Amino acid sequence: MAEVNVLDVFGQVEKASASLGAQYINPGKHIFDIQKIMLKPSQRDTSRLFFIVEFESVFSSRDDQPVGATRSWIVDMTRKETGPSNVKGFAMALGPDIKEEDITKEDLAKLVGDDQPARGIRISCEAWTIETKAGNPFTKVKWSYWGPDKLVPT
């Protein structure tokens, strides 16, 4: 076997984007604490941009999603017919009584910034599977503000 240059091998790691590795949200009812919100290009096609939210599970109606599990919600922002409206629905659930007209591009830019103002916000969702026009399964999600004073089901 040829001699391996360790710095060359780790140089590839240095240039790579980290794999997030969390599982997607499964159909059911869930309560999550927001951990991080990001805007990242696709690793396969850099012309595609994704709005990504990572959560920690606080409650799930599913046995296969235990408390403490990490889940991700990913929105393709290059899909102009669905991406922006899905993100707006999520942003409206970040607080009580947020209306569509309250959401600004400046607010959304702050969400994905270094300060992470949404970290720790508790949010609930109901997720279900639909069939796309192409006949593929797709998980739809409806977000709701949960708030710190609301009890978590047991």
Side-chain angles (χ1 to χ4, degrees):
M1 185 167 134
E3 191 172 318
V4 175
N5 183 326
V6 175
L7 292 180
D8 286 345
V9 172
F10 289 134
Q12 296 170 21
V13 174
E14 183 178 54
K15 294 174 189 169
S17 295
S19 175
L20 299 175
Q23 294 182 16
Y24 296 127
I25 297 169
N26 295 316
K29 294 183 180 186
H30 312 282
I31 301 172
F32 297 116
D33 285 342
I34 296 171
Q35 300 300 305
K36 187 172 187 178
I37 302 176
M38 303 164 273
L39 194 60
K40 290 194 169 271
S42 167
Q43 291 180 347
R44 285 187 228 139
D45 178 0
T46 55
S47 68
R48 294 176 69 193
L49 196 58
F50 295 107
F51 181 86
I52 304 168
V53 186
E54 289 186 339
F55 307 94
E56 181 179 333
S57 179
V58 176
F59 167 81
S60 177
S61 62
R62 298 177 61 102
D63 291 336
D64 62 352
Q65 185 170 297
V67 170
T70 301
R71 292 293 182 260
S72 292
W73 181 62
I74 301 173
V75 178
D76 185 347
M77 294 304 290
T78 55
R79 296 190 58 137
K80 303 294 184 199
E81 67 279 2
T82 57
S85 60
N86 287 330
V87 170
K88 184 173 268 193
F90 169 79
M92 290 172 58
L94 294 177
D97 306 318
I98 296 176
K99 298 172 189 61
E100 284 190 48
E101 58 271 14
D102 296 335
I103 308 297
T104 67
K105 60 185 175 185
E106 292 82 10
D107 292 334
L108 294 171
K110 288 177 188 173
L111 288 178
V112 299
D114 292 339
D115 290 342
Q116 291 291 301
R119 181 182 289 122
I121 291 177
R122 187 158 285 175
I123 192 168
S124 70
C125 82
E126 184 172 352
W128 64 98
T129 304
I130 63 165
E131 188 174 301
T132 65
K133 291 177 186 173
N136 299 317
F138 179 79
T139 303
K140 291 279 292 177
V141 178
K142 180 179 182 229
W143 299 103
S144 301
Y145 178 67
W146 191 261
D149 299 331
K150 227 172 170 181
L151 295 177
V152 175
T154 55

